[in-house]
Amino acid sequence: MPIAAPATRAPAPATGPARAGAALAALSGLLLALVAAEWGPLLSLDRTVADGLHRRAVAEPGLTHVNRVLTDWVWDTWTMRALLAVVVVTLFVRGGRRPALWAAATSTLGTFVQQSLKAALGRERPSWPDPVDSASYAAFPSGHALTATVTFGLLLWLAVARGARPAVRRAVAAAGAVSVLGVGFTRVYLGVHWLSDVIGGWLIGAALVAMSAAAYGRWGANRPHPADGA
């Protein structure tokens, strides 16, 4: 009597993004709690870093101008959104409708979370008698840091999910690392954010992308869709 072969089980969704998202969300929540409680050591660190960078920004107007160009044009939140929009539209037109819409929805959620936390906390930005730049809305989290993190996180996710060549993935990762770290530095250097605002933007943005990737792996990627393309 032949022995029946065991039924093949579908592979379980990858747990890596889900675990990373949970860890990043926990760190984000901890930092959020410390900011809301105005924890002394955190405020002291923020002030020390801000004072040191502000003195340098006032003393070096040339470098300050470069930082303003980078933060207001190259890494501006609308520049980041426009970059992602171009990729999303291109992917949508070429048949990858589901991942394109998923990325667009994640980016929109990031903006909503950012503005909601700013409104809820109402944290004041650094104030200077001799400011070198200005910004509106509340401080935490940094919108520039969060938006850059979400944008390049989604671009890297799309590159991996769509099977881009290794060289393309490395280029996206390198550009993302420079942009995310760079825009964070400009915001603190120009005196419009505290260091913890920037770290909060990084953590929240990375958590959103990781959880979005995990959710797509569980509910989005495994459902057939004739318009998704190869």
Side-chain angles (χ1 to χ4, degrees):
M1 180 178 178
I3 300 176
T8 302
R9 299 179 61 185
T15 58
R19 291 175 178 173
L24 289 165
L27 291 174
S28 302
L30 175 60
L31 180 59
L32 176 63
L34 294 177
V35 170
E38 298 183 350
W39 190 50
L42 179 64
L43 299 185
S44 177
L45 175 62
D46 278 340
R47 174 53 67 181
T48 299
V49 173
D51 286 345
L53 288 178
H54 180 68
R55 286 194 296 269
R56 183 173 179 184
V58 171
E60 301 183 23
L63 183 58
T64 298
H65 177 72
V66 171
N67 277 271
R68 291 194 63 175
V69 170
L70 289 172
T71 202
D72 291 339
W73 295 98
V74 180
W75 295 321
D76 181 65
T77 55
W78 288 107
T79 304
M80 294 293 100
R81 293 176 186 133
L83 173 62
L84 182 62
V86 169
V87 174
V88 164
V89 171
T90 302
L91 181 57
F92 187 90
V93 170
R94 293 184 176 182
R97 295 183 180 180
R98 180 172 290 133
L101 293 175
W102 199 279
T106 303
S107 178
T108 302
L109 177 62
T111 301
F112 173 78
V113 170
Q114 165 202 318
Q115 294 299 332
S116 298
L117 289 175
K118 283 180 178 290
L121 285 180
R123 189 186 198 189
E124 293 186 1
R125 294 177 183 267
S127 178
W128 309 102
D130 51 352
V132 299
D133 201 358
S134 62
S136 54
Y137 305 112
F140 187 92
S142 165
H144 281 69
L146 190 152
T147 303
T149 303
V150 168
T151 296
F152 278 99
L154 289 173
L155 290 178
L156 184 58
W157 170 69
L158 288 172
V160 173
R162 304 297 290 178
R165 295 189 303 274
V168 174
R169 301 182 195 182
R170 288 193 294 268
V172 174
V178 171
S179 298
V180 169
L181 295 175
V183 75
F185 174 80
T186 65
R187 304 310 285 168
V188 182
Y189 181 87
L190 294 171
V192 294
H193 272 295
W194 305 106
L195 176 62
S196 56
D197 299 335
V198 169
I199 295 175
W202 287 340
L203 290 174
I204 296 167
L208 284 171
V209 173
M211 289 187 291
S212 176
Y216 185 84
R218 179 175 295 273
W219 295 298
N222 296 324
R223 295 183 180 180
H225 193 291
D228 274 350

